[in-house]
Amino acid sequence: MKINDIKELSIQINLNGLSFCILNKTQNSIKFLNSITFDVKQTPDEVLQLLKEELSQQAVFSEDFNAVRVIHQNELSTLVPEALYDEQYKTDYLKFNSRILRNDFITEDRLSTNNSVNVYVPYVNINNYIFDTFGAFEYKHASSILIDALLNLTQETEEDQTAEAKVYIHVNTVSIEVLVVNGTQLELFNTFEYYSKEDFLYYILFVFEQLKLDPETTEVELAGHISLGDELYVLLYTYIRHLNFVDKDYNYAIDTDLDRRYLYHYFLILNSFECA
């Protein structure tokens, strides 16, 4: 890399794993992409120690970055229509859907794609460390990036804006984010934690039942930690007929050894640069 290259670093934080991505904006290409999965769910303090170890062991993180962003991925978030949002009540919005502590720091992302506000709890210890290490940085909740990215993708690809609802499922090791988009409108977003493949299937079929979606005709697009033929995919295909993987053309090259067919595994962090 040239010394004056413009580089951006994105770090995805989850209590079950970490992901890292470096975009060289001068060359318009992804130069580094890696994910680490933990054997068991960690505490925020344990994740911080693992993050410190990873950043110190990889020489690529010692470079100068023009921008750093952190993606907080947890179930502590809720969407509020912008027209109804009042900042002084953000704790009240969140406590109805999430178990929060009295001293939790609560913040929000503004989502222009559907005129909503995403209220959430970031990992403050991670934010403090990133600031001490890299200086000023940006952070967002993972669901904000997913919603923006998938609504933008729908607007780009759906010729018929009155098309039937489509279901998007982003799979993590012990949780899933489920979005239902009808035309270009977000009809549902929710995060579910699962501890068995039966839990995984139950929550998805529950969404289908509640929204009266037909498993035989409704299209489902998958991203994240799921692959053709694995246990979760096979189980899902037993009940839902039209399964595909999210396919997107990015505005930059992927200059790594990663097979482009599997970019959907990294859908969240790759879109963090476009949804900044």
Side-chain angles (χ1 to χ4, degrees):
M1 286 185 189
K2 298 178 181 178
I3 195 169
N4 60 347
D5 278 352
I6 298 173
K7 298 182 291 291
E8 297 185 358
L9 169 65
S10 190
I11 304 172
Q12 181 178 329
I13 307 294
N14 187 302
L15 298 185
N16 291 94
L18 297 168
S19 294
F20 305 89
C21 191
I22 295 176
L23 169 65
N24 185 314
K25 295 200 74 173
T26 303
Q27 300 177 13
N28 198 36
S29 63
I30 298 294
K31 294 296 185 180
F32 183 85
L33 184 60
N34 187 40
S35 288
I36 301 166
T37 301
F38 308 142
D39 292 333
V40 296
K41 188 174 184 177
Q42 307 292 310
T43 67
D45 287 338
E46 290 169 336
V47 171
L48 176 57
Q49 292 306 311
L50 292 165
L51 174 63
K52 289 180 178 180
E53 292 173 10
E54 190 65 22
L55 291 178
S56 65
Q57 292 171 3
Q58 294 272 9
V60 70
F61 297 129
S62 64
E63 300 173 5
D64 291 329
F65 295 102
N66 300 83
V68 175
R69 58 184 52 86
V70 174
I71 309 164
H72 295 281
Q73 188 175 31
N74 56 35
E75 71 283 3
L76 305 176
S77 69
T78 190
L79 284 178
V80 181
E82 191 169 34
L84 302 178
Y85 181 70
D86 187 330
E87 186 175 1
Q88 66 177 321
Y89 297 119
K90 59 186 176 183
T91 299
D92 296 321
Y93 299 132
L94 192 56
K95 72 181 182 182
F96 287 116
N97 293 316
S98 304
R99 185 180 300 173
I100 59 175
L101 302 176
R102 183 180 298 274
N103 61 343
D104 277 339
F105 173 71
I106 299 173
T107 188
E108 72 279 332
D109 295 332
R110 302 276 174 163
L111 280 66
S112 60
T113 49
N114 72 333
N115 298 316
S116 65
V117 180
N118 194 6
V119 185
Y120 65 98
V121 177
Y123 298 115
V124 173
N125 63 329
I126 301 290
N127 279 357
N128 290 339
Y129 169 70
I130 295 296
F131 180 79
D132 291 341
T133 304
F134 296 103
F137 70 102
E138 302 173 352
Y139 64 92
K140 276 190 174 184
H141 196 267
S143 58
S144 300
I145 295 172
L146 280 174
I147 292 168
D148 274 346
L150 289 171
L151 286 180
N152 284 329
L153 182 63
T154 301
Q155 291 169 0
E156 293 170 3
T157 58
E158 289 289 347
E159 295 181 3
D160 180 8
Q161 304 302 340
T162 62
E164 294 184 2
K166 180 181 289 187
V167 178
Y168 293 94
I169 303 170
H170 185 266
V171 182
N172 310 294
T173 52
V174 296
S175 67
I176 53 174
E177 289 104 357
V178 180
L179 298 86
V180 179
V181 179
N182 202 330
T184 58
Q185 300 299 312
L186 181 66
E187 192 166 320
L188 176 142
F189 172 81
N190 211 339
T191 300
F192 303 97
E193 290 188 278
Y194 66 93
Y195 300 96
S196 68
K197 61 182 185 296
E198 289 79 16
D199 289 343
F200 171 85
L201 179 65
Y202 169 81
Y203 288 125
I204 295 170
L205 293 182
F206 176 76
V207 168
F208 271 73
E209 179 185 11
Q210 292 300 303
L211 296 185
K212 296 180 172 53
L213 302 175
D214 185 352
E216 291 293 329
T217 60
T218 302
E219 291 187 16
V220 175
E221 296 207 3
L222 306 169
H225 295 280
I226 188 168
S227 298
L228 182 68
D230 70 15
E231 188 176 43
L232 293 180
Y233 181 93
V234 171
L235 182 63
L236 200 56
Y237 186 68
T238 304
Y239 295 88
I240 297 174
R241 191 56 49 223
H242 297 283
L243 296 181
N244 295 291
F245 296 101
V246 174
D247 186 19
K248 176 178 177 177
D249 292 326
Y250 291 94
N251 295 324
Y252 36 76
I254 312 294
D255 191 15
T256 70
D257 294 332
L258 181 67
D259 190 326
R260 290 190 63 87
R261 292 175 298 174
Y262 303 108
L263 289 182
Y264 65 86
H265 288 311
Y266 303 91
F267 183 83
L268 179 54
I269 198 165
L270 285 173
N271 280 278
S272 66
F273 299 105
E274 299 187 359
C275 297

